Tab-separated table of all heavy atoms in Angstrom:
chain	number	residue	atom	x	y	z
A	1146	ASN	N	-149.234	-48.343	13.244
A	1146	ASN	CA	-150.133	-49.140	12.412
A	1146	ASN	C	-149.385	-50.127	11.525
A	1146	ASN	O	-149.874	-51.233	11.276
A	1146	ASN	CB	-151.049	-48.246	11.579
A	1146	ASN	CG	-152.240	-47.780	12.377
A	1146	ASN	OD1	-152.730	-48.485	13.261
A	1146	ASN	ND2	-152.710	-46.584	12.091
A	1147	LEU	N	-148.224	-49.746	11.036
A	1147	LEU	CA	-147.422	-50.692	10.242
A	1147	LEU	C	-147.037	-51.903	11.078
A	1147	LEU	O	-147.080	-53.044	10.602
A	1147	LEU	CB	-146.174	-50.003	9.683
A	1147	LEU	CG	-146.406	-48.956	8.596
A	1147	LEU	CD1	-145.109	-48.210	8.294
A	1147	LEU	CD2	-146.978	-49.584	7.333
A	1148	VAL	N	-146.678	-51.671	12.335
A	1148	VAL	CA	-146.347	-52.773	13.242
A	1148	VAL	C	-147.606	-53.574	13.579
A	1148	VAL	O	-147.602	-54.806	13.505
A	1148	VAL	CB	-145.661	-52.263	14.531
A	1148	VAL	CG1	-145.533	-53.371	15.567
A	1148	VAL	CG2	-144.294	-51.665	14.205
A	1149	ASN	N	-148.693	-52.897	13.930
A	1149	ASN	CA	-149.938	-53.585	14.286
A	1149	ASN	C	-150.474	-54.462	13.163
A	1149	ASN	O	-151.061	-55.516	13.413
A	1149	ASN	CB	-151.017	-52.587	14.704
A	1149	ASN	CG	-150.725	-51.928	16.025
A	1149	ASN	OD1	-149.927	-52.417	16.825
A	1149	ASN	ND2	-151.336	-50.784	16.272
A	1150	HIS	N	-150.276	-54.029	11.915
A	1150	HIS	CA	-150.739	-54.813	10.760
A	1150	HIS	C	-149.664	-55.772	10.247
A	1150	HIS	O	-149.824	-56.369	9.183
A	1150	HIS	CB	-151.209	-53.886	9.640
A	1150	HIS	CG	-152.445	-53.120	9.982
A	1150	HIS	ND1	-153.650	-53.725	10.240
A	1150	HIS	CD2	-152.666	-51.792	10.108
A	1150	HIS	CE1	-154.556	-52.803	10.513
A	1150	HIS	NE2	-153.982	-51.623	10.455
A	1151	GLU	N	-148.570	-55.878	11.015
A	1151	GLU	CA	-147.469	-56.808	10.737
A	1151	GLU	C	-146.816	-56.574	9.374
A	1151	GLU	O	-146.361	-57.512	8.711
A	1151	GLU	CB	-147.939	-58.252	10.884
A	1151	GLU	CG	-148.420	-58.551	12.289
A	1151	GLU	CD	-148.952	-59.964	12.477
A	1151	GLU	OE1	-149.114	-60.704	11.476
A	1151	GLU	OE2	-149.202	-60.320	13.632
A	1152	LEU	N	-146.756	-55.309	8.967
A	1152	LEU	CA	-146.056	-54.965	7.741
A	1152	LEU	C	-144.568	-54.734	8.004
A	1152	LEU	O	-143.744	-54.864	7.091
A	1152	LEU	CB	-146.692	-53.742	7.088
A	1152	LEU	CG	-148.122	-53.974	6.563
A	1152	LEU	CD1	-148.820	-52.659	6.277
A	1152	LEU	CD2	-148.080	-54.849	5.321
A	1153	ILE	N	-144.245	-54.357	9.249
A	1153	ILE	CA	-142.860	-54.248	9.709
A	1153	ILE	C	-142.806	-54.754	11.153
A	1153	ILE	O	-143.841	-54.914	11.796
A	1153	ILE	CB	-142.311	-52.802	9.643
A	1153	ILE	CG1	-143.120	-51.863	10.547
A	1153	ILE	CG2	-142.269	-52.303	8.205
A	1153	ILE	CD1	-142.502	-50.476	10.733
A	1154	THR	N	-141.586	-54.963	11.645
A	1154	THR	CA	-141.408	-55.381	13.033
A	1154	THR	C	-141.137	-54.162	13.915
A	1154	THR	O	-140.814	-53.069	13.408
A	1154	THR	CB	-140.225	-56.348	13.175
A	1154	THR	OG1	-139.012	-55.638	12.877
A	1154	THR	CG2	-140.382	-57.563	12.248
A	1155	LEU	N	-141.231	-54.371	15.201
A	1155	LEU	CA	-140.936	-53.300	16.157
A	1155	LEU	C	-139.472	-52.862	16.044
A	1155	LEU	O	-139.166	-51.666	16.128
A	1155	LEU	CB	-141.264	-53.764	17.579
A	1155	LEU	CG	-141.382	-52.704	18.654
A	1155	LEU	CD1	-142.352	-51.600	18.253
A	1155	LEU	CD2	-141.835	-53.329	19.964
A	1156	ASP	N	-138.562	-53.796	15.836
A	1156	ASP	CA	-137.148	-53.455	15.671
A	1156	ASP	C	-136.931	-52.606	14.420
A	1156	ASP	O	-136.144	-51.652	14.438
A	1156	ASP	CB	-136.287	-54.720	15.593
A	1156	ASP	CG	-136.175	-55.437	16.933
A	1156	ASP	OD1	-136.400	-54.801	17.981
A	1156	ASP	OD2	-135.868	-56.648	16.926
A	1157	GLN	N	-137.622	-52.939	13.336
A	1157	GLN	CA	-137.514	-52.144	12.116
A	1157	GLN	C	-138.056	-50.734	12.339
A	1157	GLN	O	-137.470	-49.757	11.876
A	1157	GLN	CB	-138.264	-52.832	10.966
A	1157	GLN	CG	-137.585	-54.093	10.479
A	1157	GLN	CD	-138.434	-54.857	9.485
A	1157	GLN	OE1	-139.664	-54.934	9.622
A	1157	GLN	NE2	-137.779	-55.433	8.484
A	1158	LEU	N	-139.156	-50.646	13.060
A	1158	LEU	CA	-139.724	-49.336	13.372
A	1158	LEU	C	-138.741	-48.502	14.186
A	1158	LEU	O	-138.543	-47.314	13.904
A	1158	LEU	CB	-141.049	-49.473	14.128
A	1158	LEU	CG	-141.688	-48.168	14.613
A	1158	LEU	CD1	-141.992	-47.232	13.445
A	1158	LEU	CD2	-142.952	-48.468	15.416
A	1159	GLU	N	-138.117	-49.106	15.164
A	1159	GLU	CA	-137.164	-48.377	15.999
A	1159	GLU	C	-135.995	-47.841	15.170
A	1159	GLU	O	-135.603	-46.678	15.310
A	1159	GLU	CB	-136.643	-49.276	17.122
A	1159	GLU	CG	-135.776	-48.551	18.115
A	1159	GLU	CD	-135.376	-49.427	19.289
A	1159	GLU	OE1	-136.161	-50.298	19.707
A	1159	GLU	OE2	-134.256	-49.222	19.790
A	1160	GLU	N	-135.474	-48.664	14.281
A	1160	GLU	CA	-134.364	-48.227	13.434
A	1160	GLU	C	-134.803	-47.086	12.505
A	1160	GLU	O	-134.093	-46.088	12.335
A	1160	GLU	CB	-133.833	-49.403	12.607
A	1160	GLU	CG	-132.603	-49.060	11.799
A	1160	GLU	CD	-132.021	-50.248	11.055
A	1160	GLU	OE1	-132.361	-51.409	11.373
A	1160	GLU	OE2	-131.213	-49.995	10.136
A	1161	ALA	N	-135.973	-47.222	11.919
A	1161	ALA	CA	-136.488	-46.179	11.023
A	1161	ALA	C	-136.788	-44.894	11.797
A	1161	ALA	O	-136.536	-43.792	11.292
A	1161	ALA	CB	-137.739	-46.680	10.310
A	1162	ASN	N	-137.314	-45.019	13.004
A	1162	ASN	CA	-137.590	-43.833	13.830
A	1162	ASN	C	-136.317	-43.067	14.144
A	1162	ASN	O	-136.316	-41.832	14.166
A	1162	ASN	CB	-138.309	-44.220	15.124
A	1162	ASN	CG	-139.804	-44.270	14.958
A	1162	ASN	OD1	-140.378	-43.616	14.103
A	1162	ASN	ND2	-140.443	-45.069	15.795
A	1163	ASN	N	-135.222	-43.775	14.400
A	1163	ASN	CA	-133.946	-43.099	14.653
A	1163	ASN	C	-133.506	-42.286	13.435
A	1163	ASN	O	-133.059	-41.151	13.565
A	1163	ASN	CB	-132.877	-44.109	15.053
A	1163	ASN	CG	-133.114	-44.684	16.439
A	1163	ASN	OD1	-133.743	-44.057	17.283
A	1163	ASN	ND2	-132.638	-45.889	16.679
A	1164	ALA	N	-133.655	-42.881	12.260
A	1164	ALA	CA	-133.313	-42.160	11.028
A	1164	ALA	C	-134.253	-40.975	10.822
A	1164	ALA	O	-133.830	-39.897	10.386
A	1164	ALA	CB	-133.370	-43.114	9.834
A	1165	LEU	N	-135.532	-41.168	11.133
A	1165	LEU	CA	-136.512	-40.093	11.004
A	1165	LEU	C	-136.154	-38.914	11.909
A	1165	LEU	O	-136.205	-37.755	11.487
A	1165	LEU	CB	-137.914	-40.602	11.337
A	1165	LEU	CG	-139.028	-39.564	11.340
A	1165	LEU	CD1	-139.263	-39.012	9.928
A	1165	LEU	CD2	-140.313	-40.164	11.889
A	1166	LEU	N	-135.787	-39.200	13.133
A	1166	LEU	CA	-135.413	-38.126	14.063
A	1166	LEU	C	-134.206	-37.345	13.559
A	1166	LEU	O	-134.131	-36.123	13.737
A	1166	LEU	CB	-135.172	-38.694	15.458
A	1166	LEU	CG	-136.421	-39.224	16.165
A	1166	LEU	CD1	-136.062	-39.878	17.493
A	1166	LEU	CD2	-137.460	-38.125	16.357
A	1167	ASP	N	-133.261	-38.039	12.909
A	1167	ASP	CA	-132.114	-37.343	12.313
A	1167	ASP	C	-132.575	-36.377	11.222
A	1167	ASP	O	-132.081	-35.256	11.133
A	1167	ASP	CB	-131.117	-38.344	11.725
A	1167	ASP	CG	-130.393	-39.147	12.796
A	1167	ASP	OD1	-130.380	-38.723	13.971
A	1167	ASP	OD2	-129.832	-40.218	12.441
A	1168	LYS	N	-133.533	-36.796	10.397
A	1168	LYS	CA	-134.061	-35.935	9.329
A	1168	LYS	C	-134.781	-34.727	9.927
A	1168	LYS	O	-134.659	-33.613	9.432
A	1168	LYS	CB	-135.045	-36.697	8.432
A	1168	LYS	CG	-134.538	-37.986	7.869
A	1168	LYS	CD	-133.664	-37.783	6.685
A	1168	LYS	CE	-133.306	-39.141	6.092
A	1168	LYS	NZ	-132.163	-39.084	5.231
A	1169	ILE	N	-135.530	-34.970	10.968
A	1169	ILE	CA	-136.256	-33.886	11.625
A	1169	ILE	C	-135.279	-32.898	12.250
A	1169	ILE	O	-135.442	-31.684	12.112
A	1169	ILE	CB	-137.259	-34.444	12.655
A	1169	ILE	CG1	-138.408	-35.147	11.910
A	1169	ILE	CG2	-137.788	-33.345	13.566
A	1169	ILE	CD1	-139.346	-35.932	12.798
A	1170	ASP	N	-134.248	-33.408	12.931
A	1170	ASP	CA	-133.235	-32.537	13.520
A	1170	ASP	C	-132.556	-31.668	12.461
A	1170	ASP	O	-132.199	-30.517	12.719
A	1170	ASP	CB	-132.179	-33.352	14.267
A	1170	ASP	CG	-132.690	-33.911	15.582
A	1170	ASP	OD1	-133.743	-33.438	16.074
A	1170	ASP	OD2	-132.053	-34.840	16.119
A	1171	ALA	N	-132.398	-32.228	11.260
A	1171	ALA	CA	-131.764	-31.501	10.164
A	1171	ALA	C	-132.749	-30.594	9.425
A	1171	ALA	O	-132.374	-29.965	8.439
A	1171	ALA	CB	-131.129	-32.489	9.193
A	1172	GLN	N	-134.012	-30.546	9.901
A	1172	GLN	CA	-135.054	-29.727	9.268
A	1172	GLN	C	-135.261	-30.112	7.798
A	1172	GLN	O	-135.541	-29.275	6.952
A	1172	GLN	CB	-134.710	-28.241	9.371
A	1172	GLN	CG	-134.614	-27.709	10.789
A	1172	GLN	CD	-135.977	-27.593	11.449
A	1172	GLN	OE1	-136.887	-27.034	10.884
A	1172	GLN	NE2	-136.106	-28.133	12.644
A	1173	ASN	N	-135.129	-31.406	7.503
A	1173	ASN	CA	-135.269	-31.909	6.148
A	1173	ASN	C	-136.685	-32.447	5.950
A	1173	ASN	O	-136.937	-33.641	6.059
A	1173	ASN	CB	-134.219	-32.990	5.876
A	1173	ASN	CG	-134.113	-33.323	4.416
A	1173	ASN	OD1	-135.015	-33.031	3.634
A	1173	ASN	ND2	-133.002	-33.927	4.047
A	1174	VAL	N	-137.624	-31.556	5.645
A	1174	VAL	CA	-139.046	-31.893	5.568
A	1174	VAL	C	-139.314	-32.958	4.504
A	1174	VAL	O	-140.070	-33.895	4.732
A	1174	VAL	CB	-139.905	-30.639	5.293
A	1174	VAL	CG1	-141.358	-30.997	5.089
A	1174	VAL	CG2	-139.758	-29.656	6.428
A	1175	LYS	N	-138.700	-32.822	3.353
A	1175	LYS	CA	-138.982	-33.745	2.254
A	1175	LYS	C	-138.493	-35.162	2.529
A	1175	LYS	O	-138.993	-36.112	1.939
A	1175	LYS	CB	-138.378	-33.228	0.951
A	1175	LYS	CG	-139.029	-31.956	0.481
A	1175	LYS	CD	-138.394	-31.455	-0.776
A	1175	LYS	CE	-138.964	-30.097	-1.156
A	1175	LYS	NZ	-138.314	-29.553	-2.322
A	1176	GLU	N	-137.526	-35.303	3.393
A	1176	GLU	CA	-137.027	-36.640	3.723
A	1176	GLU	C	-137.519	-37.130	5.083
A	1176	GLU	O	-137.228	-38.249	5.473
A	1176	GLU	CB	-135.502	-36.656	3.680
A	1176	GLU	CG	-134.961	-36.466	2.279
A	1176	GLU	CD	-133.452	-36.579	2.216
A	1176	GLU	OE1	-132.828	-37.029	3.193
A	1176	GLU	OE2	-132.900	-36.207	1.169
A	1177	ALA	N	-138.277	-36.299	5.793
A	1177	ALA	CA	-138.795	-36.663	7.119
A	1177	ALA	C	-140.062	-37.498	6.955
A	1177	ALA	O	-141.166	-37.070	7.287
A	1177	ALA	CB	-139.056	-35.421	7.954
A	1178	SER	N	-139.877	-38.688	6.415
A	1178	SER	CA	-140.983	-39.597	6.156
A	1178	SER	C	-140.582	-41.006	6.555
A	1178	SER	O	-139.615	-41.561	6.016
A	1178	SER	CB	-141.344	-39.571	4.663
A	1178	SER	OG	-142.086	-40.701	4.308
A	1179	LEU	N	-141.332	-41.580	7.473
A	1179	LEU	CA	-141.056	-42.941	7.909
A	1179	LEU	C	-141.137	-43.918	6.738
A	1179	LEU	O	-140.302	-44.806	6.601
A	1179	LEU	CB	-142.045	-43.334	9.014
A	1179	LEU	CG	-141.708	-44.583	9.801
A	1179	LEU	CD1	-140.429	-44.388	10.590
A	1179	LEU	CD2	-142.843	-44.922	10.736
A	1180	LEU	N	-142.138	-43.744	5.882
A	1180	LEU	CA	-142.262	-44.637	4.720
A	1180	LEU	C	-141.064	-44.509	3.795
A	1180	LEU	O	-140.538	-45.506	3.316
A	1180	LEU	CB	-143.534	-44.329	3.929
A	1180	LEU	CG	-144.825	-44.919	4.440
A	1180	LEU	CD1	-145.961	-44.611	3.479
A	1180	LEU	CD2	-144.722	-46.412	4.668
A	1181	ARG	N	-140.664	-43.288	3.528
A	1181	ARG	CA	-139.518	-43.057	2.660
A	1181	ARG	C	-138.283	-43.766	3.213
A	1181	ARG	O	-137.535	-44.405	2.482
A	1181	ARG	CB	-139.280	-41.550	2.535
A	1181	ARG	CG	-138.217	-41.164	1.571
A	1181	ARG	CD	-137.978	-39.647	1.605
A	1181	ARG	NE	-136.939	-39.294	0.681
A	1181	ARG	CZ	-135.652	-39.561	0.854
A	1181	ARG	NH1	-135.241	-40.186	1.933
A	1181	ARG	NH2	-134.765	-39.202	-0.053
A	1182	ILE	N	-138.084	-43.651	4.500
A	1182	ILE	CA	-136.933	-44.286	5.145
A	1182	ILE	C	-137.047	-45.805	5.080
A	1182	ILE	O	-136.092	-46.500	4.706
A	1182	ILE	CB	-136.799	-43.785	6.601
A	1182	ILE	CG1	-136.418	-42.301	6.607
A	1182	ILE	CG2	-135.792	-44.628	7.378
A	1182	ILE	CD1	-136.619	-41.597	7.931
A	1183	LEU	N	-138.218	-46.333	5.448
A	1183	LEU	CA	-138.416	-47.788	5.443
A	1183	LEU	C	-138.266	-48.389	4.049
A	1183	LEU	O	-137.713	-49.483	3.899
A	1183	LEU	CB	-139.797	-48.142	6.001
A	1183	LEU	CG	-139.963	-48.033	7.498
A	1183	LEU	CD1	-141.448	-48.036	7.869
A	1183	LEU	CD2	-139.224	-49.167	8.199
A	1184	MET	N	-138.767	-47.681	3.037
A	1184	MET	CA	-138.758	-48.223	1.674
A	1184	MET	C	-137.471	-47.935	0.927
A	1184	MET	O	-136.914	-48.821	0.287
A	1184	MET	CB	-139.939	-47.647	0.888
A	1184	MET	CG	-141.267	-48.151	1.356
A	1184	MET	SD	-142.552	-47.386	0.344
A	1184	MET	CE	-143.951	-47.598	1.409
A	1185	TRP	N	-137.029	-46.698	0.961
A	1185	TRP	CA	-135.934	-46.283	0.094
A	1185	TRP	C	-134.563	-46.352	0.746
A	1185	TRP	O	-133.576	-46.604	0.074
A	1185	TRP	CB	-136.167	-44.867	-0.415
A	1185	TRP	CG	-137.378	-44.721	-1.290
A	1185	TRP	CD1	-138.203	-45.720	-1.748
A	1185	TRP	CD2	-137.893	-43.512	-1.823
A	1185	TRP	NE1	-139.201	-45.197	-2.516
A	1185	TRP	CE2	-139.045	-43.830	-2.590
A	1185	TRP	CE3	-137.522	-42.190	-1.728
A	1185	TRP	CZ2	-139.796	-42.871	-3.256
A	1185	TRP	CZ3	-138.276	-41.237	-2.386
A	1185	TRP	CH2	-139.391	-41.581	-3.142
A	1186	GLU	N	-134.497	-46.089	2.058
A	1186	GLU	CA	-133.188	-46.051	2.697
A	1186	GLU	C	-132.828	-47.374	3.373
A	1186	GLU	O	-131.682	-47.806	3.306
A	1186	GLU	CB	-133.131	-44.914	3.717
A	1186	GLU	CG	-133.212	-43.544	3.077
A	1186	GLU	CD	-133.153	-42.409	4.070
A	1186	GLU	OE1	-132.659	-42.601	5.210
A	1186	GLU	OE2	-133.627	-41.305	3.717
A	1187	LEU	N	-133.790	-47.996	4.041
A	1187	LEU	CA	-133.507	-49.211	4.804
A	1187	LEU	C	-133.983	-50.484	4.099
A	1187	LEU	O	-133.637	-51.575	4.537
A	1187	LEU	CB	-134.142	-49.117	6.196
A	1187	LEU	CG	-133.665	-47.950	7.055
A	1187	LEU	CD1	-134.428	-47.914	8.377
A	1187	LEU	CD2	-132.159	-48.016	7.294
A	1188	ASP	N	-134.775	-50.341	3.064
A	1188	ASP	CA	-135.299	-51.479	2.295
A	1188	ASP	C	-135.958	-52.524	3.211
A	1188	ASP	O	-135.707	-53.723	3.095
A	1188	ASP	CB	-134.179	-52.104	1.460
A	1188	ASP	CG	-134.720	-52.991	0.350
A	1188	ASP	OD1	-135.854	-52.751	-0.115
A	1188	ASP	OD2	-134.010	-53.944	-0.042
A	1189	MET	N	-136.807	-52.052	4.103
A	1189	MET	CA	-137.484	-52.925	5.067
A	1189	MET	C	-138.964	-53.140	4.744
A	1189	MET	O	-139.613	-53.956	5.370
A	1189	MET	CB	-137.370	-52.332	6.473
A	1189	MET	CG	-135.982	-52.315	7.008
A	1189	MET	SD	-135.968	-51.531	8.642
A	1189	MET	CE	-134.316	-51.907	9.168
A	1190	LEU	N	-139.488	-52.387	3.805
A	1190	LEU	CA	-140.903	-52.478	3.464
A	1190	LEU	C	-141.044	-52.322	1.954
A	1190	LEU	O	-140.475	-51.400	1.370
A	1190	LEU	CB	-141.692	-51.367	4.174
A	1190	LEU	CG	-143.176	-51.250	3.882
A	1190	LEU	CD1	-143.937	-52.494	4.336
A	1190	LEU	CD2	-143.754	-50.002	4.548
A	1191	LYS	N	-141.774	-53.241	1.362
A	1191	LYS	CA	-142.053	-53.141	-0.070
A	1191	LYS	C	-143.299	-52.292	-0.264
A	1191	LYS	O	-144.335	-52.566	0.341
A	1191	LYS	CB	-142.262	-54.526	-0.680
A	1191	LYS	CG	-141.022	-55.350	-0.735
A	1191	LYS	CD	-141.302	-56.679	-1.419
A	1191	LYS	CE	-140.036	-57.503	-1.417
A	1191	LYS	NZ	-140.274	-58.832	-1.966
A	1192	GLU	N	-143.174	-51.296	-1.098
A	1192	GLU	CA	-144.293	-50.396	-1.339
A	1192	GLU	C	-145.493	-51.148	-1.904
A	1192	GLU	O	-146.632	-50.861	-1.552
A	1192	GLU	CB	-143.869	-49.276	-2.280
A	1192	GLU	CG	-144.871	-48.162	-2.352
A	1192	GLU	CD	-144.281	-46.905	-2.947
A	1192	GLU	OE1	-143.430	-47.004	-3.854
A	1192	GLU	OE2	-144.665	-45.815	-2.493
């Protein structure tokens, strides 16, 4: 939906998804958030 509403690009989504999968693999529930990654870690989306 973020891509469909043009809030992020497909490339940004792919990069954030890779980071998300790393969080999930590490069983890090509190950091397993696409928004958290896009906003706080990658600075790709303004809240």
Side-chain angles (χ1 to χ4, degrees):
N1146 278 328
L1147 291 171
V1148 170
N1149 290 341
H1150 293 297
E1151 299 178 351
L1152 293 165
I1153 62 170
T1154 67
L1155 196 53
D1156 289 339
Q1157 290 172 322
L1158 175 60
E1159 187 175 327
E1160 185 176 344
N1162 273 334
N1163 289 334
L1165 176 66
L1166 292 175
D1167 290 342
K1168 307 280 186 198
I1169 290 171
D1170 286 344
Q1172 298 288 310
N1173 193 341
V1174 175
K1175 294 179 186 177
E1176 293 184 12
S1178 161
L1179 194 65
L1180 278 185
R1181 186 185 179 288
I1182 293 164
L1183 285 165
M1184 291 180 201
W1185 296 354
E1186 293 180 21
L1187 300 177
D1188 197 27
M1189 293 178 170
L1190 177 63
K1191 291 183 182 175
E1192 192 163 35

